[in-house]
Amino acid sequence: MKLLQGSYNEGSEEDTIYFYGTKTRYGEFSNFYRSLITIDGIAYETSEHYFQCMKFYPSDEHMELVRLAKSPGIAARLGRSRKNPLRKDWEEVKDDLMYQAIYAKFTQNEELKQILQETGDKYLVEHTKKDFYWADGGTGEGKNMLGIQLMKLRDELKKL
């Protein structure tokens, strides 16, 4: 199932919200932002914990190690490590799994849901040179998939 059908065109500078990290304005949009989520009856400290866990599905041992990481940064490091085998279908499922993570985050926490909805129709951009897939690559040349997924979710929440 592809969740990201549709088009989100970049807005003008004044119609764009840039975010990165948890200590800046709109830091709540970061996957490192501490907001407990529950998916399939399992609690995760952050959406980053969930996303990184899913890289090792169905290996309960590896998933639990990541789930219990003391911080989202440690969970990310464990998830990026190739000491443990990455699930074979990762490239096919990663977008849907990220959407599940942010859906849980913004529907299970009313305050976060309101912050996302209050962005109106602004274009959302995870702005960092550290990531060309989930963010804009720092130059705008990245795919900004997290920003696109947040806008998709925002549109879905309008329908609820």
Side-chain angles (χ1 to χ4, degrees):
M1 172 172 73
K2 273 291 176 210
L3 294 170
L4 290 178
Q5 296 171 354
S7 175
Y8 293 93
N9 297 318
E10 276 190 64
S12 64
E13 194 67 30
E14 62 272 358
D15 291 332
T16 302
I17 292 173
Y18 295 95
F19 65 93
Y20 183 72
T22 60
K23 297 187 187 325
T24 61
R25 184 141 192 234
Y26 298 107
E28 299 89 351
F29 297 166
S30 167
N31 286 317
F32 281 41
Y33 184 81
R34 292 187 186 264
S35 178
L36 186 70
I37 62 171
T38 302
I39 298 176
D40 296 329
I42 300 171
Y44 300 87
E45 187 177 332
T46 66
S47 52
E48 185 72 17
H49 280 79
Y50 171 77
F51 183 74
Q52 297 298 337
C53 277
M54 292 299 105
K55 289 181 174 181
F56 304 112
Y57 179 83
S59 172
D60 290 340
E61 180 183 339
H62 297 120
M63 290 174 66
E64 194 66 1
L65 180 69
V66 176
R67 187 180 76 82
L68 297 175
K70 292 190 184 290
S71 72
I74 293 171
R77 255 193 322 275
L78 291 168
R80 291 180 188 127
S81 169
R82 292 298 157 253
K83 290 180 183 176
N84 302 310
L86 190 66
R87 62 189 285 174
K88 291 180 182 14
D89 64 349
W90 182 245
E91 289 303 315
E92 291 80 42
V93 301
K94 68 182 180 182
D95 289 339
D96 288 343
L97 291 168
M98 180 63 80
Y99 192 83
Q100 286 178 349
I102 65 169
Y103 182 89
K105 177 178 175 177
F106 288 93
T107 60
Q108 294 174 16
N109 184 312
E110 281 298 317
E111 184 179 330
L112 296 182
K113 179 179 176 182
Q114 183 177 349
I115 291 168
L116 180 60
Q117 289 176 315
E118 287 174 355
T119 64
D121 292 325
K122 295 200 182 249
Y123 190 75
L124 304 179
V125 176
E126 183 177 34
H127 181 62
T128 177
K129 62 183 177 183
K130 294 181 180 181
D131 194 326
F132 277 83
Y133 187 77
W134 296 109
D136 70 349
T139 63
E141 294 176 16
K143 291 188 175 209
N144 187 40
M145 292 304 290
L146 180 58
I148 290 170
Q149 287 201 349
L150 286 167
M151 291 182 286
K152 170 83 172 165
L153 175 59
R154 181 182 63 199
D155 289 348
E156 291 296 318
L157 292 174
K158 289 176 186 176
K159 299 174 187 173
L160 299 180

